Coordinates of all heavy atoms in Angstrom, one line a residue:
H18 N -34.9 15.6 100.8 CA -35.7 16.0 99.6 C -35.7 14.8 98.7 O -36.8 14.4 98.2 CB -35.0 17.2 99.0 CG -35.6 17.7 97.8 ND1 -35.8 19.1 97.5 CD2 -36.0 17.1 96.6 CE1 -36.4 19.2 96.3 NE2 -36.5 18.1 95.8
L22 N -39.0 12.3 97.7 CA -39.6 12.1 96.4 C -39.5 10.6 95.9 O -40.5 10.2 95.3 CB -38.8 13.0 95.4 CG -39.1 14.5 95.4 CD1 -38.1 15.2 94.4 CD2 -40.5 14.7 94.9
L59 N -48.2 23.2 93.1 CA -46.9 23.0 93.6 C -45.9 23.9 92.9 O -45.9 24.0 91.7 CB -46.4 21.5 93.4 CG -45.0 21.2 93.8 CD1 -44.8 21.3 95.3 CD2 -44.6 19.8 93.2
A60 N -45.1 24.7 93.7 CA -44.2 25.6 93.1 C -43.0 24.9 92.5 O -42.7 23.7 92.8 CB -43.7 26.6 94.2
A61 N -42.4 25.5 91.6 CA -41.2 25.0 90.9 C -40.1 24.8 92.0 O -40.0 25.5 93.0 CB -40.7 25.9 89.8
G62 N -39.2 23.8 91.7 CA -38.0 23.6 92.5 C -38.0 22.3 93.2 O -37.0 21.7 93.5
L63 N -39.2 21.7 93.5 CA -39.3 20.4 94.1 C -38.9 19.3 93.2 O -38.2 18.4 93.5 CB -40.7 20.2 94.7 CG -40.8 18.9 95.6 CD1 -40.0 19.1 96.9 CD2 -42.3 18.7 96.0
D64 N -39.5 19.4 92.0 CA -39.2 18.3 90.9 C -38.6 19.0 89.7 O -39.3 19.4 88.8 CB -40.6 17.7 90.5 CG -40.4 16.5 89.6 OD1 -39.2 16.1 89.3 OD2 -41.4 16.0 89.1
K65 N -37.3 19.2 89.8 CA -36.6 20.0 88.8 C -36.6 19.4 87.4 O -36.5 20.0 86.4 CB -35.2 20.3 89.2 CG -35.1 21.3 90.4 CD -33.7 21.6 90.8 CE -33.6 22.5 92.0 NZ -34.0 23.9 91.6
N66 N -36.6 18.0 87.4 CA -36.4 17.3 86.1 C -37.7 16.7 85.6 O -37.7 15.9 84.6 CB -35.4 16.2 86.2 CG -34.0 16.8 86.5 OD1 -33.6 17.8 85.8 ND2 -33.3 16.3 87.5
G67 N -38.9 17.0 86.3 CA -40.1 16.4 85.9 C -40.2 14.9 86.0 O -40.9 14.2 85.2
E68 N -39.5 14.4 87.0 CA -39.5 12.9 87.2 C -40.7 12.3 88.0 O -40.9 11.1 88.0 CB -38.2 12.5 87.8 CG -36.9 12.9 87.1 CD -35.7 12.7 87.9 OE1 -35.5 13.4 88.9 OE2 -34.9 11.8 87.5
H69 N -41.4 13.2 88.6 CA -42.4 12.7 89.6 C -43.8 13.4 89.4 O -44.5 13.6 90.4 CB -41.9 12.9 91.0 CG -40.6 12.4 91.3 ND1 -40.3 11.0 91.4 CD2 -39.3 13.0 91.4 CE1 -39.0 10.8 91.6 NE2 -38.4 12.0 91.6
I70 N -44.1 13.8 88.2 CA -45.3 14.6 87.9 C -46.6 13.9 88.4 O -47.4 14.4 89.1 CB -45.4 14.9 86.4 CG1 -44.2 15.9 86.1 CG2 -46.7 15.6 86.1 CD1 -44.0 16.0 84.6
D71 N -46.7 12.6 88.0 CA -47.9 11.9 88.3 C -48.1 11.6 89.8 O -49.2 11.8 90.4 CB -48.0 10.5 87.6 CG -48.1 10.7 86.1 OD1 -48.4 11.8 85.6 OD2 -47.8 9.7 85.3
L73 N -46.8 13.5 92.2 CA -47.1 14.7 92.9 C -48.6 15.2 92.6 O -49.2 15.7 93.5 CB -46.1 15.8 92.4 CG -44.7 15.6 92.9 CD1 -43.7 16.5 92.1 CD2 -44.6 16.0 94.4
V81 N -49.1 21.3 88.9 CA -47.7 21.1 89.3 C -46.8 21.8 88.4 O -46.9 21.7 87.2 CB -47.4 19.6 89.4 CG1 -45.9 19.4 89.5 CG2 -48.1 18.9 90.5
E82 N -45.8 22.6 88.9 CA -44.9 23.3 88.1 C -43.5 22.6 88.3 O -43.0 22.6 89.5 CB -44.8 24.8 88.5 CG -43.9 25.6 87.6 CD -44.1 27.1 87.9 OE1 -45.2 27.6 88.1 OE2 -43.1 27.8 87.9
V83 N -42.9 22.2 87.3 CA -41.6 21.5 87.3 C -40.5 22.5 86.8 O -40.7 23.4 86.2 CB -41.6 20.2 86.5 CG1 -42.6 19.2 87.1 CG2 -41.9 20.4 85.0
G84 N -39.2 22.1 87.1 CA -38.1 23.0 86.8 C -37.6 23.6 88.1 O -38.0 23.2 89.2
T85 N -36.7 24.6 88.0 CA -36.3 25.3 86.8 C -35.4 24.5 86.0 O -34.5 23.8 86.5 CB -35.6 26.6 87.2 OG1 -36.5 27.4 87.9 CG2 -35.1 27.4 86.0
L122 N -35.8 16.7 80.8 CA -37.1 17.0 81.3 C -38.2 16.7 80.3 O -39.2 16.2 80.6 CB -37.1 18.5 81.7 CG -38.5 19.0 82.2 CD1 -38.3 19.9 83.4 CD2 -39.3 19.7 81.1
Y319 N -44.6 25.0 98.7 CA -43.3 24.3 98.6 C -42.8 24.0 100.0 O -43.0 22.9 100.5 CB -42.3 25.1 97.7 CG -41.0 24.3 97.5 CD1 -40.1 24.8 96.5 CD2 -40.6 23.2 98.2 CE1 -38.9 24.1 96.3 CE2 -39.4 22.5 97.9 CZ -38.6 23.0 97.0 OH -37.4 22.3 96.8

Side-chain angles (χ1 to χ4, degrees):
H18 177 135
L22 282 174
L59 175 68
L63 189 68
D64 186 7
K65 291 181 180 290
N66 296 312
E68 298 171 296
H69 307 286
I70 295 168
D71 294 345
L73 289 165
V81 164
E82 188 171 316
V83 297
T85 298
L122 179 137
Y319 185 167

